[in-house]
Amino acid sequence: MNCQFSILEDEALLHISGPDSLNFLQGQTTCDTQEVGGSRATHGLYCTPQGRVVCDFLLLQLEDGHFAMRMRRDIREHAASVFGKYIVFSKAQLDATNDEWRVVAVWGEAAAATLEKALGVKPAARHEAVTAGSCIAVQLDDSGHAFECYGRDVEALLESLSQAAQPCEESAWQRMQILAGIPRIEAATIEMFVPQVLNYDLTGHISFTKGCYTGQEVVARLHYRGKSKRRTFLAQPGEAAGAGDPVFSVDGAQSIGNVVNCAVGEPRLALVSATLEAPQLELHLHSAEGPPVSLSQPPYPLDTD
């Protein structure tokens, strides 16, 4: 059985509804919301005017005029408060309290076939969305091995999945996302990073062809006129780490990076944003004398030349 599934309790939806929803988000976020509809979702970011990432999200349509940004639950309230400063000028409303919709992850080599058996349909490309009854499924990768499903009532889906897939803890899904090199913003790292140091320019979270949005000047300048001096790497820490924890070289007095995400389980896995030369150095968590941590390339090319 090469298919797993899990209810994602650490994920939550920030709902936005009203006729101006997509226009509002088009002027605030890094993604092109003109691509979003009943058959397509997209990844994106919301940045401060200084280009610091407030939240990462997957934007999808739930119903006519009703959209949602899937993000980490521990940042939803803060993201809503920042969006809320500007949405008052639009015919759109935010809702950060609606937890009727649940998120279910399905992944593995047999995930597409298993999902099609459960729903009768399946997405066939990255970011494609399909609706089956009260459930919406979105494909997150190019290979068709990772999906998220959203619904007010997911009991029938869970029952069907339990017949053909292995139930897992949410940490198993988080480990897979780390191995895919997909960073997530957590409460400890809100407004800590600019997008490029988290590889978001490489993972499809930024449109460089859309119009203006909050933070665009900083993000675009680094893309077109410079090169990020830091990138995000896969990491194996010597002990459990937390988001935001500093990373030091053995002979350094200043931090050369920070933990972005860390997964529960063995072997320990993490994502670390660090200087381009960091993978060649002897590194430690918390201080130059702390537990060791080693870095390696994510499963996609980095622009480090």
Side-chain angles (χ1 to χ4, degrees):
M1 181 187 298
N2 197 356
C3 181
Q4 297 81 45
F5 72 97
S6 177
I7 299 174
L8 303 184
E9 300 291 358
D10 287 345
E11 303 294 335
L13 300 183
L14 176 56
H15 298 260
I16 181 169
S17 58
D20 287 348
S21 294
L22 291 184
N23 285 337
F24 167 74
L25 293 176
Q26 184 77 340
Q28 296 293 330
T29 66
T30 63
C31 59
D32 188 349
T33 65
Q34 295 179 5
E35 299 178 351
V36 177
S39 61
R40 183 170 173 81
T42 192
H43 281 98
L45 311 170
Y46 183 33
C47 299
T48 67
Q50 295 75 36
R52 300 278 175 167
V53 184
V54 175
C55 63
D56 70 284
F57 57 81
L58 179 75
L59 174 64
L60 70 152
Q61 179 176 307
L62 300 180
E63 299 165 324
D64 288 344
H66 180 188
F67 302 86
M69 290 172 278
R70 186 271 291 135
M71 61 184 65
R72 291 292 288 258
R73 183 174 298 276
D74 63 352
I75 70 172
R76 178 175 62 170
E77 184 175 346
H78 180 83
S81 69
V82 180
F83 274 120
K85 296 177 182 178
Y86 308 100
I87 202 170
V88 293
F89 305 108
S90 302
K91 294 179 180 178
Q93 302 81 41
L94 289 169
D95 186 351
T97 63
N98 181 352
D99 285 324
E100 292 180 359
W101 292 78
R102 306 188 75 184
V103 186
V104 178
V106 184
W107 69 98
E109 292 183 3
T114 302
L115 197 59
E116 184 174 25
K117 183 177 180 180
L119 297 178
V121 293
K122 65 176 177 64
R126 186 172 186 257
H127 287 156
E128 184 176 336
V130 299
T131 301
S134 61
C135 187
I136 300 160
V138 177
Q139 183 172 318
L140 300 186
D141 63 346
D142 293 318
S143 62
H145 294 166
F147 302 84
E148 284 183 356
C149 303
Y150 313 85
R152 287 193 180 95
D153 181 3
V154 295
E155 295 308 318
L157 171 64
L158 294 174
E159 175 62 26
S160 180
L161 290 174
S162 68
Q163 304 303 313
Q166 177 184 354
C168 292
E169 297 293 329
E170 185 171 1
S171 58
W173 169 257
Q174 293 168 347
R175 290 176 67 84
M176 191 200 72
Q177 293 290 287
I178 284 177
L179 288 172
I182 308 298
R184 301 297 308 282
I185 299 297
E186 302 184 29
T189 58
I190 292 173
E191 300 183 19
M192 189 172 185
F193 303 105
V194 295
Q196 282 91 338
V197 305
L198 296 179
N199 303 348
Y200 282 139
D201 55 327
L202 307 176
T203 57
H205 285 69
I206 305 171
S207 169
F208 289 103
T209 59
K210 62 170 283 185
C212 296
Y213 57 86
T214 303
Q216 184 208 23
E217 183 177 354
V218 175
V219 176
R221 185 189 305 121
L222 183 55
H223 178 72
Y224 290 111
R225 299 184 181 180
K227 185 178 75 171
S228 180
K229 297 180 180 179
R230 296 191 178 207
R231 284 294 189 180
T232 292
F233 302 90
L234 297 179
Q236 289 190 307
E239 68 173 31
D245 285 353
V247 173
F248 292 80
S249 66
V250 68
D251 57 354
Q254 291 186 333
S255 167
I256 63 169
N258 295 90
V259 175
V260 181
N261 306 113
C262 191
V264 175
E266 294 292 340
R268 295 187 182 94
L269 295 174
L271 290 173
V272 169
S273 177
T275 58
L276 299 182
E277 64 272 13
Q280 286 74 52
L281 303 177
E282 181 181 341
L283 303 175
H284 297 266
L285 285 171
H286 309 304
S287 71
E289 295 80 31
V293 57
S294 60
L295 304 185
S296 59
Q297 297 289 307
Y300 48 78
L302 294 177
D303 177 16
T304 57
D305 296 330

